[in-house]
Amino acid sequence: MTVYTVNPELDLVLERTVDVAPELVWRAWTTPELLMQWFTPKPWSTVACEIDLRPGGRFDNTMRSPEGQEFPHSGCILVAEEGRTLVFTSALGPGFRPQVVQEGFAFTAVIRIEPDGTGTKYTAIAIHPDAAAKKSHEEMGFHEGWGAALDQLVDLMRSH
């Protein structure tokens, strides 16, 4: 994959070292049954997930609020480098088909997984089309939400 350089004007970054092996972090991101258990910060939940792990493949999930309202999200996988890099976007649907985002804004996520001792250096980058989308995502609680989800991933995968 071409190395992506973070643009601080448009991108949000969560970077941490976690005490879970890289292959377990990869499995958590790429196995629908596992992703549904950690992906959405509690008390929200992920109630559906479909992943076709190849460029052009589907990356879909449905989040449910504590009040029971469901929010389906459809996306497309751009890069799937086994155990290292997952890139997906909400700007495209399966087969790289452009799509209209129904609510909010489109963004692309870059998930980097690197060995670090017995753990993993984990980097999640949310790439936005403009400063307004970045600001909106930040105000929605990007750092808190993605950080809480990562904590849930770690807790889940420690038991595997």
Side-chain angles (χ1 to χ4, degrees):
M1 173 184 163
T2 302
V3 175
Y4 178 75
T5 302
V6 172
N7 178 340
E9 300 297 316
L10 301 175
D11 305 338
L12 296 168
V13 179
L14 174 70
E15 185 174 272
R16 287 195 352 217
T17 299
V18 296
D19 64 349
V20 173
E23 59 272 13
L24 294 177
V25 175
W26 179 257
R27 274 188 38 213
W29 263 106
T30 59
T31 307
E33 298 77 21
L34 293 173
L35 187 133
M36 289 173 59
Q37 296 177 57
W38 68 266
F39 188 63
T40 312
K42 294 184 186 328
W44 286 64
S45 59
T46 301
V47 296
C49 179
E50 186 176 343
I51 299 171
D52 179 5
L53 193 59
R54 61 181 177 81
R58 177 179 304 279
F59 190 88
D60 294 353
N61 64 76
T62 301
M63 298 177 184
R64 182 180 292 152
S65 74
E67 298 76 34
Q69 187 176 6
E70 293 191 356
F71 299 89
H73 301 278
S74 180
C76 179
I77 293 177
L78 303 176
V79 177
E81 294 177 343
E82 180 76 31
R84 296 180 30 209
T85 306
L86 178 65
V87 182
F88 59 92
T89 186
S90 61
L92 301 172
F96 304 108
R97 176 77 43 200
Q99 66 180 3
V100 175
V101 176
Q102 298 300 321
E103 292 185 30
F105 47 84
F107 74 97
T108 298
V110 177
I111 308 300
R112 292 185 185 145
I113 300 167
E114 303 171 60
D116 188 330
T118 58
T120 301
K121 179 182 176 189
Y122 175 91
T123 307
I125 306 165
I127 303 170
H128 302 89
D130 55 38
K134 174 195 174 193
K135 182 179 181 195
S136 180
H137 202 176
E138 195 166 31
E139 289 174 352
M140 285 173 59
F142 169 82
H143 290 98
E144 298 82 3
W146 284 57
L150 178 58
D151 291 340
Q152 292 170 181
L153 179 156
V154 169
D155 289 345
L156 174 68
M157 297 315 286
R158 278 186 186 146
S159 66
H160 280 76

